[in-house]
Amino acid sequence: MLRKAVVFTASLALGLAGVGIAGTPSGAEGSGSQCTFQHVPDLEPGLSYKPSSGKFIDPGGGTISCKGAVNGSGSYTDSGTDSGTCQGGGTAVGDPTFTINGETFTDRITIKFGEPSTKGGIVHAKFEGARTKGTIELTPTKGDCVINPVTQVKGVGEFTLK
């Protein structure tokens, strides 16, 4: 039960983080570019077994790489809101911004988290925005969802720019 709680907490936190990371470039509509990313957002007040709402912010240092009409590597930042629990999962909304080859992209993303990861993380999440659709695998880096709320997660994911 403890492992399940930790997995869902990580999913929520990472899902929120992923939402911000996976923002879609404004000029990428119809591009079909394939992108990968990773980042480590902070969650406030954090996720636990009790239902809560909060916010997430990526302090920077995340990376993104795309191939296709949008091609290259860059950095990103994001912020948004989240709600849910470790055990039951939840939702998040974020406004990611990332820059590739001097061009800045933004999108509004909605993410759903809570499934166990099958790709190396603890929690799996799906997200979609106006021009972005993808997945993210989340692993808590601060907190355990049982004794301490999860206040930071590592997110590793991929998405397609529509």
Side-chain angles (χ1 to χ4, degrees):
M1 182 68 165
L2 174 62
R3 177 170 159 57
K4 185 176 181 180
V6 170
V7 170
F8 284 113
T9 300
S11 295
L12 175 58
L14 290 176
L16 297 177
V19 169
I21 294 177
T24 301
S26 59
E29 188 167 340
S31 74
S33 297
Q34 299 298 308
C35 301
T36 59
F37 63 90
Q38 65 178 355
H39 73 130
V40 182
D42 295 321
L43 308 173
E44 187 180 301
L47 300 172
S48 71
Y49 63 92
K50 295 179 182 178
S52 67
S53 295
K55 60 183 180 176
F56 68 91
I57 187 163
D58 186 336
T63 59
I64 187 168
S65 180
C66 296
K67 293 181 181 177
V70 173
N71 195 43
S73 299
S75 61
Y76 67 84
T77 185
D78 59 28
S79 61
T81 59
D82 61 74
S83 63
T85 67
C86 296
Q87 297 83 359
T91 60
V93 175
D95 296 311
T97 300
F98 57 92
T99 302
I100 296 177
N101 296 327
E103 187 173 358
T104 300
F105 303 93
T106 62
D107 197 7
R108 171 144 290 208
I109 303 293
T110 299
I111 189 165
K112 294 185 182 200
F113 59 90
E115 301 172 18
S117 176
T118 59
K119 296 182 179 181
I122 292 179
V123 176
H124 176 79
K126 297 176 184 177
F127 60 87
E128 187 165 4
R131 294 164 299 227
T132 300
K133 184 174 183 178
T135 62
I136 186 169
E137 308 308 310
L138 308 167
T139 303
T141 56
K142 290 185 182 175
D144 59 17
C145 194
V146 176
I147 297 171
N148 298 302
V150 173
T151 59
Q152 188 179 72
V153 295
K154 179 178 182 181
V156 177
E158 58 190 12
F159 63 92
T160 300
L161 295 177
K162 300 176 191 175

